[in-house]
Structures are given as C-alpha cells and as structure tokens.
Amino acid sequence: MKWTDVDPDRVGLRVERLGIRRDARPILSDVSLTVRAGELLALVGPNGAGKSTLLAAICGDLAPAAGTIEFAGRPLTRWAPVELARLRAMLPQRATMSFPFTVAEVVAMGRAPWAGTRLAAEDDDAVAEALRLTGMQTFAGRVFSALSGGEQARVALARVLAQRTPMLLLDEPTAALDLHHQELVLRLARDRAQQGGSVVIVLHDLGLAAAYADRIALLAGGRLVADGPPDAVLTADRLSEVYQHEVEVLPHPHTGVPLVLPVRP
C-alpha cells in the first residue's frame, strides 16, 4: 500500500519544547523533535527515561504542561478524535480483551475509524493483509485470550496495521517476541516508512534501533540527550553515561551498523 496522500517533504509530526508533569513531578522537560513522512524514528533510553510518556503525549493521551505537538502542521488539540484515529495508530505496550473476541474480530477493530466512509469498503482487505503481514492468518478464528503473549502481541500489531494510517506509534512492540518475530516487526515498520508513512517506535534493543531506524532519539531523565543518525547517537561515551554501564560500540563487519556491547568483567 502506498501512502500517496502524504507529502514526503512535509513534516508529519513536530514536537516543540514539550513538558509533561505527573502529580507536580516533571516527567518530560523541553523535548523537541520532528518526524517526516518516510522516516522511522526510534525512541531509546533507560527505564524511566520518558519514552512511553512521550509516545502517549504524541498520541494525545496525555496533556502537555508545556510546549506543543503538531500533526501535518496543525496543533494536536485542533484535530477531532476521529480525525486523529485516521491519522495515527497507536500500539500500547499491553493489549487486553475482556470478552472472547476472535483474532479476526480484534484486528477488525482497527477499522473502526473508517466506518461510514468510502474506505470502509477496504475493511476485509485491510484485515486480511494485516493478518498475513504478521503471520497470524491461520489464527483468525482463534480466541484472542487463548493465545500466548507473543501471539497476542502480533495480533495487536495487526490491528494497528489494519487501521491504515499514515503514522504508526509503536510502544515496545518487540518486548514479548522471539528473535524471528522481532525482526519481522522491525521490517514491517521499515517497510511502512519506505512506503511514505511515518513511524515512531519505542525500543530497548539498541541493536534493532541501529539496524532499522533512520534516526534515533536518546532520552534520559525526561530530557532529549541526542537526536540523529544511529552512528552519531550511539557512541560509547554517551551510552556509558546514560545507561550507567560501560559499553563499547563496534561497526558490524558487513554492514557497518553500530553494534552496542556491554563491557563485562
């Protein structure tokens, strides 16, 4: 699918001097970044750095205490909820279902924003494509709650893909997955960006971020420490300081992609 309605030269997302507070405690402070159409941005950093909070604010689930967020040049607050649902799809860290929905029914929930529009005619194709891309087509009739954690994670991703929005916001989508499916998820995210979409993905695995992201935003203590290409952001001195553990960064012998290795006694 081509995202022909997205101008590749236009900023898809702009965050300016964002601040988030919780119970009067600052969670994010003075964070600014942009994501253009056709770009995959990885948010990385230690636990508690503010990655998921930043993604929730971008999604519209958290109100900023300071700063602004814009989609396609328009402030987030000026988009109606249904408009946002057609613009960006959010994958949270955990997906739970209280009722015995089948896998196909869960994925079809991603089509809800298009109900009553001409694009509702794409519902069946969108669900089938999302199931195929995530390797879950043979699970379509299974009950979601009966699946393993990794299988549920892939169904949740399929629901997001079925939404067919120009922007994907993915919060730790590889956490419950084995190596094969981690690579599958990052390839899907990479493909979406190459088709003209915008992708923001929270990752703990710095190797995956280095291999697949166009840019990496490194957060620590609620602040943006660095933002740029993987080889510029993932330096040994910077990562050792941010993660409070000595690391070394070596180029992959075949691709040159940075490999981050902890120094062990």
Side-chain angles (χ1 to χ4, degrees):
M1 179 176 181
K2 297 292 185 181
W3 303 98
T4 53
D5 57 333
V6 180
D7 183 347
D9 296 321
R10 188 175 187 182
V11 175
L13 167 70
R14 186 187 302 275
V15 178
E16 289 285 349
R17 310 203 64 163
L18 182 69
I20 299 289
R21 302 181 71 86
R22 186 172 296 154
D23 298 328
R25 181 171 62 92
I27 306 298
L28 290 175
S29 301
D30 200 28
V31 173
S32 297
L33 54 83
T34 61
V35 185
R36 296 183 179 275
E39 193 169 48
L40 192 159
L41 173 71
L43 303 179
V44 305
N47 292 333
K51 304 181 296 297
S52 294
T53 298
L54 175 56
L55 206 66
I58 292 171
C59 185
D61 291 341
L62 289 177
T68 59
I69 301 171
E70 294 182 356
F71 280 121
R74 188 197 300 181
L76 180 65
T77 53
R78 290 179 54 194
W79 290 95
V82 70
E83 291 178 313
L84 279 178
R86 295 170 183 170
L87 181 69
R88 54 94 183 105
M90 172 71 176
L91 178 69
Q93 287 185 25
R94 299 172 187 83
T96 59
M97 293 287 165
S98 301
F99 298 96
F101 293 109
T102 66
V103 166
E105 289 170 336
V106 171
V107 176
M109 292 175 187
R111 299 299 301 165
W114 305 106
T117 74
R118 62 180 178 81
L119 293 181
E122 299 180 4
D123 286 359
D124 290 344
D125 287 343
V127 170
E129 179 188 54
L131 288 169
R132 177 181 57 80
L133 289 173
T134 55
M136 297 302 292
Q137 62 269 48
T138 60
F139 292 74
R142 298 268 298 274
V143 175
F144 177 82
S145 58
L147 302 180
S148 70
E151 290 164 347
Q152 289 185 356
R154 287 155 60 196
V155 174
L157 176 62
R159 177 187 57 78
V160 167
L161 295 176
Q163 201 167 329
R164 287 187 172 176
T165 57
M167 177 168 287
L168 294 181
L169 307 174
L170 310 176
D171 194 356
E172 296 189 36
T174 62
L177 301 180
D178 58 31
L179 185 148
H180 170 73
H181 290 105
Q182 289 177 13
E183 293 290 328
L184 170 66
V185 168
L186 268 296
R187 286 198 303 271
L188 290 173
R190 178 72 261 160
D191 288 347
R192 178 60 63 90
Q194 289 178 337
Q195 292 165 358
S198 303
V199 181
V200 183
I201 182 169
V202 173
L203 291 171
H204 276 294
D205 189 319
L206 299 177
L208 284 174
Y212 287 98
D214 296 298
R215 287 185 15 251
I216 292 178
L218 175 63
L219 296 168
R223 293 185 177 274
L224 185 63
V225 175
D227 177 8
D231 58 353
V233 171
L234 302 179
T235 66
D237 288 345
R238 179 180 290 130
L239 295 178
S240 296
E241 179 179 356
V242 165
Y243 285 92
Q244 299 182 14
H245 187 103
E246 188 177 356
V247 304
E248 55 183 346
V249 180
L250 307 173
H252 189 282
H254 301 304
T255 65
V257 169
L259 299 176
V260 180
L261 304 173
V263 175
R264 300 184 177 102

